[in-house]
């Protein structure tokens, strides 16, 4: 349970960091870290495929794209720094949310725990996850194709411009 | 399919569809386009008028096209719709004839003809619709056509006024749609023939009323009409004064006069609103100096009299209101067309810059005077009878405050029309070089309308007998 | 997954893969291949759904739930319009012409996947694919606005992906399955909702963000405004509607909002829909950029669909589906017109435009048709869909929502009137002096869509029959 | 065709036919007009004698039919209308100052036709139709009589005053019709209405306003003096002097005697109105310096006697009022004709420039003397008898004060005619008028005829009363015995005293005014208090119309205009402003700041999750 909580806290921290980072690049990296944390949560909750997918798609491919794109416009972005003082209130808001969640959501966590046991007991999760996943393979193919075309589309142009 | 039903369909379909052929005709030649547009107007009028024989024989003609959820398109010709259709088609036809000369030196003529004919077609559709939903559909179509017509000139100001027009009327229309929806859920149908004689809830009546008031330019939604009258050509204003604003009146007659039994308190509220409208707009007409704005204010004020007739809740007043629609359409149409001639030839709309035009534009002056007299309700013009009957009905209604309000309104009508005529045609000439008379077709159009106003007074028996037949056979909850 | 419609997914994918090879040295071939692929799909769909015998049979012979077919048709239609438009719009030497078309075709495939899938995880995967392709498409031209828009799109919809995946995880935990059917069965049974509903609510939130519903709309204006011109039409017309709005409708029917299950979610969705309507319309009023205004308008119109989906009654679903389709038609027209204006006059800043109607009459008039349909002016198609939504609201006793939704049409009309005044009517500005009408091929898709707007309005009974069939099938 | 239609249709058709005739033709228009008037007169005589069957036509729906009935009163009125029409059309034959001959005769004939229609209509709506229809021709008559802006302005004034009061009449008719349940005056008179009920009182007051305004009573009279200067003598002789009086008093009598049973209060109101009219107008008349303008004030003043007479509500008074109506039309037409002749021959109507014309224009002078004596109530001319009846009726009511007011009016009337006659026909002839000759025969004939009638109705006052008036007031017992020639009566002595007083006043004024007859009224004109009052009157301070137009209409309409602008603001600027405010606020909010957007998204998501999770 501590492990879960730690991961949740980490995810939250990354999310807040992503929002508050001064540099977009930091934001992107934090976003990737957030994805990674979420993936770990998936793994721990017994959803390894979801975790893999999240990791591959969000943390991997997309972050790569992001970092590439962000680095291209970094120079321009830094010329006009935004005043983001007011966003320092954000951690406070997160804290409020956490407290509120503490009051509102425990029932949900309890139920979730029972659900997990029930699913684990039935031993059907793996089956459900993998046996019916053929369309997802199509999705993966599409994702790969998309990734290829995106790289083909975005990167040559950017380098050319440079 | 019987001939009347065919005519009924054609009266709606020909102008609506024909309007979209006008751009094609325009490809051929300007003359072909103009002739085509005038022919469409003529045909519509004839088709609508041909239904008189049916309805006078006590028959009605109906045709339906099934739509889901009871939103059937039903065209239904009865005494009221044929009357209204013929009047508006006739006025529109005169406008089209007048337009041939009037509009000939402006841009966007094709769009103009398209919109006028489309407007006419939507009006026919609206008038003949026996389903509230389709009434609403055509209602919005007229709003669209009027938007384009008001925005005929494209200066920022004109377009802004056009936008004001459509926004106010569409706002009203949406309120009306709410009312229609209430009716729909109260009765499960929108077929007016089935709703005949039912009671209507206050909420529905109030919402529908907002739509009617906004379309008919009555307080508190009145001011788009003068604004619309200023921006575009006179002919467009005419549509507003003589046809478009009558839509609201027609809808009132159709919904609260011959279909639902309007609650008494509701009718009373309408009377007060109309009274206030008559007074306020008449006062504004006395202050304004723009010829077309004054006539537009006059329209607002006169519409209030029609509402007085419709809402008074007795037969006399209802007959008067029906006649008022006829008389006002003809007379106000004539006034606006005169204003068009004056404006075009004097190159100004400010009455302070006119004066003494009678000597150079005698025919227009006479036509203007005759039409004014009809609007004032001076015998032997037709306007006298309608005003008399409306007042008579108001007296029967027994509401002294309302009667006095309208009496004051009638007095102010006299004042502003006399002032207008005096300032334009008599008075000291103010720096103009005696503008010429309008072209033959234009002058003939206005003179025709003026003389029709006179003829309607002389032959009042026929229209009044018709209106009485209408009231007796269709009226609901009238004493 | 609906196997009958799989071909609509696979063929564009195949075409997308072929294009870079086949058109390597002949960029024009890419145009042709992409257009032919989509046109063939459209023709096939027309044959499937519009045969006289099918229409006479009140569409009872349509396979599947009917909704997929309808949306596939919409996807193909919009995509075809956009590719056709792009074929003449793209710069001659755009280096990645092939990649552009491939991306479009991949996203078409992904959208087909979205609308045909029957499983939440698959749905999620396809939505992510869409997100990736859209990201690249937005940056097709090298403008900084495009990159910024793309980034905003990605960053700000990222929480959506996270929420959806969390929702999927929670659902997996509590329901033991991810298929639509299992959720439907679960909701139909009178079991306590609990976690399953919460999972669905999380997913719903993700879709709401993807759909750009206020207050999660913040990415839409920048993304649509910054995007490459035809891509804006593509995004606003169909992509975000499929990736967000379709999923909302689907989830709404699965959650059985219509019989009062998941009341809290239903109410929230409706509230957000109403909020979007208001916020989008009001914000659009003061925009000075043509495309940005359209983006806000899009938020507002999506609000109507979401409002109806949140209500979830059969009538509301009919209205939502119909409005979804209508939105695809009119928003495509408007965005493509903004692209034409941009091409012709060089800017979409409305303060610099004016008097374009003389030089660009077709663009002007098709805009009028589309904007009237958006504002719900009869007898155009937008009127009927709004009417259905409002009737549904009223029927369910939500009169305040009904009245508000109806009255915000006037605001819609107001900002479009202002747009029309600033761009097409009014005085000619310097920018407008030298802007000829765009060529006929660029007009063709716009005119086609405008004709469709009018036709759908006038042929409402047929379309209603179809939508009714859809609603009956998906709500059973 | 029913003969009853001839006096209406013939003038109308002839009038319309005139419009088709070229302006250049000589005499044709005049002869046509005279012919039509003559035939109408014959028809009117016939109608009076035989009382043709009523004429019914379906008209405004089933409720209101077009009914013409020639009862005694209306036949008598019709005869009078036709007679004056003929007289004026003959008189105008060679009158140059009447504007275009074509339009003059058109207006004349149209007025005649409509007036005849109003007289014959039994249905109130039909009467109103004809009555209000006169407005148009009133306007054109004045506007076309002179080609000046003043004429147009006066025409507008006349039109507006009459149109407004006609509207009152219209409202009155509608209410009366509603209360009575019928629009037919003969049906209502069979079952008269009372004033006990608020609505019927209101209706009667409205009818009263319409009637007395037509007749030209205070305070609706102010267009008449203006018209006197801005239009032609034949018009003055025809419309304000004859037709308007006939119709107005006719309908007043109808309303007061046939339609309503009046009560004491209303009697007082009517009599006060009459007395005030007499005094106010005659005071004004007395100081006028223009021939026609002086006459025109008398035309107003004399109306007061008629209203006073009818207001007495006793048979004698009413008979007197009606008799005075016909008498007044006779002598006032005659006087205006003399004014026209003098103007035509001498070229001016200003009293200070005229003088000593009796010898140059003896026939005109004689006619003037007769008519002036008649209007001043000098026995044995017709005016004496009608006034005497009015006085008698007034005394019978017991309100002596009205009698005194009427006598005072008589005094001033005579005084002003002494001044007028002296100024125009006697005294020294100015230099420029040595060549002045008598007017042509066509002008003299009608003058002589009317003067003859004055004499005849004076010596034979019994006949018109017995033939025309008594039958019209059938059901009222009228003692006509006292109407025969000279007889010793206290009223007679009072009138002698009045005459003497007037002569003395004239002599006094003459000496005070330095022997100039035109200044013989100055001692009253410039007396203290009166001087200021007259000055105010000159500035039209007492002119209800001018005051309304200057003081009431602009502020009221401005206020209403402001209301209109307010509504414009509420439908235009207000929603626009509110929407702009929200639009602007949201525009400023969407500033493109990525962190702001992200925060918004996450905050929204947080609230959503809490609600979805917690409130299930």
């Amino acid at each position: 349970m501590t492990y879960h909580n730690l991961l949740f806290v980490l995810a939250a921290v990354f999310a807040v960091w992503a929002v508050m980072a001064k540099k977009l690049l930091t934001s992107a990296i934090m976003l990737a870290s957030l994805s990674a944390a979420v993936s770990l949560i998936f793994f721990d909750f017994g959803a390894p495929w979801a975790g893999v997918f999240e990791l591959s798609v969000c943390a991997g491919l997309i972050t790569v794209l992001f970092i590439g794109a962000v680095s291209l416009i970094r120079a321009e972005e830094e010329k006009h720094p935004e005043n983001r003082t007011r966003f320092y209130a954000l951690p406070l808001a997160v804290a409020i949310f956490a407290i509120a969640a503490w009051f509102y959501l425990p029932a949900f966590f309890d139920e979730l725990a029972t659900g997990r046991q029930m699913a684990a007991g039935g031993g059907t999760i793996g089956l459900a996850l993998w046996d019916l996943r053929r369309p997802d393979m199509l999705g993966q193919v599409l994702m790969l194709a998309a990734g290829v075309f995106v790289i083909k589309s975005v990167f040559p142009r950017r380098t050319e411009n440079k | 399919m019987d001939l009347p039903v065919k005519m009924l369909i054609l009266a709606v379909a020909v102008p609506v569809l024909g309007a979209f052929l006008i751009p094609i005709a325009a490809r051929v030649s300007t003359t072909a386009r103009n002739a085509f547009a005038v022919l469409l107007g003529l045909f519509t009028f004839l088709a609508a008028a041909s239904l008189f024989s049916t309805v006078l024989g006590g028959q009605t003609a109906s045709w339906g096209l099934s739509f889901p959820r009871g939103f059937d398109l039903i065209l239904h010709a009865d005494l009221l719709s044929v009357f209204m259709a013929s009047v508006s088609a006739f006025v529109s036809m005169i406008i089209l004839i007048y337009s041939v000369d009037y509009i000939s030196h402006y841009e966007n003529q094709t769009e103009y003809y398209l919109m006028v004919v489309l407007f006419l077609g939507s009006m026919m559709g609206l008038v003949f619709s026996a389903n509230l939903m389709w009434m609403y559909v055509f209602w919005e179509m007229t709003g669209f056509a009027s938007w384009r017509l008001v925005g005929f000139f494209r200066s920022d100001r004109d377009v802004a006024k056009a936008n004001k027009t459509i926004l106010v009327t569409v706002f009203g229309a949406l309120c009306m749609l709410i009312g229609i929806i209430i009716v729909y859920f109260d009765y499960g149908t929108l077929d007016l023939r089935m709703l005949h004689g039912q009671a209507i809830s206050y909420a529905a009546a109030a919402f529908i009323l907002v739509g009617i008031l906004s379309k008919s330019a009555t307080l508190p939604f009145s001011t788009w009409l003068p604004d619309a009258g200023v921006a575009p050509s006179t002919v467009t204003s005419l549509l507003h004064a003589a046809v478009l604003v009558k839509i609201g009146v027609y809808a009132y007659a159709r919904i609260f006069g011959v279909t639902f039994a309007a609650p008494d308190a509701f009718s009373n509220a309408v009377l007060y609103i109309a009274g206030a409208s008559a007074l306020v707009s008449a006062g504004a007409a006395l202050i304004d100096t723009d010829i077309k704005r004054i006539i537009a204010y006059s329209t607002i004020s006169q519409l209030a009299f029609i509402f007085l007739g419709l809402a008074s809740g007795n037969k006399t007043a209802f007959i008067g209101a029906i006649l008022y629609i006829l008389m006002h359409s003809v007379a106000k149409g004539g006034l606006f067309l005169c204003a068009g001639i004056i404006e075009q030839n004097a190159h100004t709309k400010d009455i302070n810059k006119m004066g003494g035009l009678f000597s150079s534009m005698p025919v227009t002056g006479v036509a203007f005077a005759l039409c004014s007299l009809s609007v004032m309700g001076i015998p032997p013009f037709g306007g006298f009878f309608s005003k008399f009957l409306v007042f008579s009905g108001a007296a029967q209604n027994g509401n002294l405050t309302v009667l006095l309000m309208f009496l004051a309104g009638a007095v102010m009508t006299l004042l502003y029309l006399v002032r207008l005529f005096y300032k334009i045609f008599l008075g000291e000439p103010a720096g103009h070089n005696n503008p010429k008379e309008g072209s033959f077709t234009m002058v003939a159009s206005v003179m025709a309308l003026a003389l029709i106003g006179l003829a309607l007074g002389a032959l009042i028996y026929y229209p009044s007998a018709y209106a009485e037949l209408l009231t007796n056979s269709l009226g609901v909850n009238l004493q | 997954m609906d196997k009958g419609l799989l071909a609509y997914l696979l063929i564009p994918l195949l075409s997308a893969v072929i294009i870079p090879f086949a058109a390597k040295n002949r960029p024009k071939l890419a145009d042709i291949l992409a257009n032919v692929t989509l046109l063939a799909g459209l023709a096939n769909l027309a044959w499937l759904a519009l045969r006289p015998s099918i229409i006479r049979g009140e569409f009872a012979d349509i396979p599947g739930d009917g909704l997929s077919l309808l949306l596939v048709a919409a996807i193909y239609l919009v995509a075809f319009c956009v590719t056709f438009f792009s074929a003449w719009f793209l710069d001659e030497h755009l280096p990645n012409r092939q990649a552009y078309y491939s991306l479009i075709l991949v996203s078409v495939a992904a959208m087909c996947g979205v609308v045909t899938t029957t499983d939440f995880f698959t749905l999620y995967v396809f939505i992510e694919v869409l997100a990736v392709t859209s990201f690249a498409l937005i940056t097709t031209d090298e403008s900084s606005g495009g990159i910024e828009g793309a980034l905003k799109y990605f960053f700000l919809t990222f929480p959506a992906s996270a929420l959806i995946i969390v929702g999927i995880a929670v659902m997996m935990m509590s329901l033991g399955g991810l298929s639509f059917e299992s959720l439907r069965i679960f909701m139909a049974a009178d079991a306590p909702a609990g976690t399953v509903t919460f999972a669905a609510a999380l997913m719903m939130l993700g879709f709401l963000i993807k759909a750009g519903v206020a207050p999660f709309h913040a990415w839409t204006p920048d993304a649509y405004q910054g995007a490459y011109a035809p891509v804006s039409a593509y995004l606003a017309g169909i992509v975000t509607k499929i990736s967000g709005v379709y999923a909302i409708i689907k989830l709404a029917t699965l959650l059985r909002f219509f019989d009062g299950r998941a009341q809290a979610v239903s109410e929230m969705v409706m509230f957000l829909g109403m909020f979007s309507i208001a916020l989008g319309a009001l914000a659009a009023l003061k925009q000075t950029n043509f495309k940005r205004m359209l983006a806000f308008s899009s938020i507002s119109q999506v609000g109507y669909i979401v409002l109806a989906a949140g209500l979830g009654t059969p009538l509301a679903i009919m209205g939502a589906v119909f409005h979804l389709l209508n939105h695809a038609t009119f928003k495509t027209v408007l965005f493509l017109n903004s692209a034409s204006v941009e091409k012709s006059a060089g800017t979409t800043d409305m303060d610099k435009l004016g008097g374009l109607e003389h030089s660009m009459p077709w663009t002007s008039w098709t805009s009028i048709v589309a904007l009237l349909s958006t504002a719900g002016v009869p007898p155009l198609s937008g009127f009927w869909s709004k009417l259905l939504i409002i009737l549904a609201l009223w029927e369910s006793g939500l009169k305040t929502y009904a009245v508000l939704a109806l009255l915000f049409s006037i605001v819609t009309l107001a900002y479009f009137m202002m747009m029309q005044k600033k761009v097409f009517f009014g005085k000619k500005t310097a920018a407008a002096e030298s802007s000829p009408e765009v060529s006929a091929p660029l007009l063709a898709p716009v005119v086609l869509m405008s004709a469709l707007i009018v036709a759908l309005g006038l042929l409402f009974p047929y379309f209603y029959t179809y939508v009714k069939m859809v609603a009956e099938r998906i709500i059973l | 065709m029913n003969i009853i239609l001839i006096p209406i249709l013939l003038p109308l058709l002839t009038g319309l036919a005139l419009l088709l005739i070229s302006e250049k033709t000589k005499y044709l228009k005049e002869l046509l007009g005279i012919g039509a008037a003559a035939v109408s007169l014959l028809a009117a005589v016939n109608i009076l004698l035989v009382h043709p069957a009523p004429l019914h036509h379906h008209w405004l729906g089933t409720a209101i039919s077009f009914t013409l009935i020639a009862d005694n009163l209306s036949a008598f009125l019709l005869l009078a209308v036709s007679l004056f029409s003929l007289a004026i059309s003959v008189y105008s034959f060679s009158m140059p100052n009447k504007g275009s001959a074509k339009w003059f005769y058109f207006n004349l004939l149209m007025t005649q036709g409509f007036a005849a229609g109003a007289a014959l209509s039994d249905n109130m709506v039909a009467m109103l139709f004809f009555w209000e229809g006169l407005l148009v021709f009133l306007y054109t008559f004045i506007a076309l009589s002179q080609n000046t802006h003043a004429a147009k302005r006066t025409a507008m004034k006349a039109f507006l005053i009459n149109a407004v009061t006609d509207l009152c009449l219209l409202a009155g008719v509608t209410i009366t019709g509603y209360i009575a349940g019928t629009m037919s005056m003969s049906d209502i008179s069979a079952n008269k209405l009372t004033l006990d009920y608020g609505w019927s009182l209101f209706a009667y007051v409205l009818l009263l306003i319409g009637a007395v305004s037509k007749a030209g009573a205070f305070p609706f009279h102010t267009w008449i003096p203006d018209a006197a200067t801005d239009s032609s003598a034949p018009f003055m002789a025809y419309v304000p002097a004859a037709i308007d009086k006939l119709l107005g008093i006719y309908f007043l009598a109808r309303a007061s005697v046939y339609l309503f049973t009046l009560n004491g209060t209303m009697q007082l109101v009517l009599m006060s109105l009459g007395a005030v009219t007499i005094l106010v107008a005659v005071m004004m008349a007395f100081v006028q310096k223009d021939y026609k303008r002086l006459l025109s004030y008398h035309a107003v003043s004399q109306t007061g006697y008629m209203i006073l007479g009818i207001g007495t509500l006793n048979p004698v008074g009413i008979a007197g009022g009606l008799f005075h109506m016909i008498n007044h039309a006779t002598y006032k037409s005659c006087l205006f004709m003399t004014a026209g002749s003098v103007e035509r021959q001498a070229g001016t109507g200003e009293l200070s420039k005229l003088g000593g014309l009796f010898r140059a224009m003896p026939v005109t002078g004689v006619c003037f003397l007769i008519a002036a004596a008649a209007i001043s109530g000098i026995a044995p001319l017709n005016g004496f008898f009608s006034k005497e009846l009015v006085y008698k009726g007034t005394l019978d009511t017991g309100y002596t004060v009205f009698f005194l007011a009427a006598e005072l009016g008589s005094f001033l009337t005579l005084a002003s005619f002494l001044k007028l006659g002296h100024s125009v026909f006697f005294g020294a002839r100015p230099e420029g008028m040595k060549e002045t000759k008598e007017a042509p025969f066509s002008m003299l004939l009608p003058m002589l005829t009317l003067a003859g009638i004055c004499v005849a109705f004076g010596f034979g006052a019994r006949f018109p009363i017995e033939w025309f008036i008594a039958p019209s007031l059938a059901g009222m017992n009228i003692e006509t015995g006292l109407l025969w020639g000279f007889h010793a009566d206290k009223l007679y002595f009072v009138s002698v005293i009045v005459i003497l007083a007037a002569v003395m006043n004239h002599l006094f004024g003459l000496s005070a005014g330095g022997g100039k007859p035109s200044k013989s009224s100055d001692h009253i004109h410039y007396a203290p208090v009166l001087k200021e009052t007259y000055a105010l009157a000159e500035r039209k301070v007492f002119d209800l119309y001018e005051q309304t137009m200057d003081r009431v209409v602009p502020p009221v309409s401005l206020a209403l205009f402001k209301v209109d602008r307010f509504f414009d603001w509420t439908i235009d600027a207000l929603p626009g402003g509110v929407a702009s405010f929200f639009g602007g606020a949201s525009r400023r909010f969407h500033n493109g700041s990525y962190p702001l957007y992200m925060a918004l998204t996450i905050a929204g998501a947080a609230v959503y999750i809490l609600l979805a999770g917690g409130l299930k």
Side-chain angles (χ1 to χ4, degrees), chain B residues 10-32:
Chain B
L10 286 178
V12 180
V14 164
V16 170
L17 302 178
F20 295 99
L21 298 178
I22 287 178
I24 299 171
R27 290 281 159 106
V28 181
S29 76
T30 327
T31 322

Side-chain angles (χ1 to χ4, degrees), chain B residues 182-224:
Chain B
I182 298 177
V183 170
Y184 180 66
F185 282 110
D186 281 355
Y187 299 103
T189 178
L190 291 174
D191 187 341
L192 289 171
R193 296 169 300 182
M194 295 192 196
L195 293 169
H196 186 83
Q198 302 275 14
I200 186 169
S201 70
Y202 278 106
F207 275 116
I208 293 176
L209 182 67
V210 171
I212 288 169
L213 294 183
S214 73
K215 197 77 162 180
S216 272
T218 303
L219 230 55
F221 307 106
S222 55
T223 55
W224 66 264

Side-chain angles (χ1 to χ4, degrees), chain D residues 286 411-412 415 500-510 520 523-524:
Chain D
F286 184 54
F411 160 72
L412 286 169
L500 290 176
V503 172
M504 273 158 64
N505 170 68
H506 182 67
L507 293 175
F508 175 73
L510 212 53
S520 63
H523 64 289
I524 290 180

Side-chain angles (χ1 to χ4, degrees), chain B residues 66-69 71 107-108 111 115 133-134 136-137 140-141 144 147-148 154 156 159-160 163 166-167 170-171 174 177-178 181-182 184-185, chain C residues 315 357-358 365 368 372 377-379 383-384 387-388 390-391 394-395 403 406-407 409-410 413-414 417 420-421 425-427 458 460-461 464:
Chain B
S66 170
F67 263 64
R69 300 199 83 84
F71 300 151
E107 283 183 353
N108 304 323
E111 182 198 308
M115 285 302 155
M133 188 51 72
W134 279 90
Y136 172 77
V137 170
E140 291 276 45
M141 281 170 70
F144 165 68
W147 174 56
R148 291 315 319 127
R154 297 293 161 79
D156 277 354
V159 180
N163 290 352
I166 190 169
L167 288 177
V170 168
F171 169 78
L174 290 175
L177 184 58
I178 296 171
I181 289 172
I182 298 177
Y184 180 66
F185 282 110
Chain C
L315 190 57
E357 57 153 353
H358 299 290
W365 278 101
I368 289 177
L372 290 177
V377 172
F383 162 70
W384 295 109
L387 182 66
L388 289 182
I390 283 148
L391 284 179
W394 197 278
E395 198 178 44
V403 170
L406 200 54
L407 290 185
S409 297
I410 197 80
L413 195 61
M417 291 285 141
Q420 192 74 15
K421 178 185 159 202
F425 299 145
K427 244 195 208 106
L458 296 178
F460 169 65
Y464 177 86

Side-chain angles (χ1 to χ4, degrees), chain D residues 179 195-203:
Chain D
I179 299 171
L195 293 182
D196 305 334
Y197 167 56
W199 276 98
S200 63
L201 182 64
F202 184 51

Side-chain angles (χ1 to χ4, degrees), chain C residues 369-387:
Chain C
V369 171
L371 73 85
L372 290 177
S373 179
T374 317
V377 172
L380 302 173
S381 56
F383 162 70
W384 295 109
S385 53
K386 269 191 193 172
L387 182 66

Side-chain angles (χ1 to χ4, degrees), chain B residues 164 223 297 379 396 427 464 468, chain D residues 61-62 129 149 178 564-565 568:
Chain B
K164 182 175 179 182
T223 55
Y297 274 121
Q396 290 184 33
S464 67
E468 190 175 28
Chain D
T62 42
F129 173 83
H149 288 298
Y178 176 58
D564 178 76
R565 289 295 95 194
D568 186 53

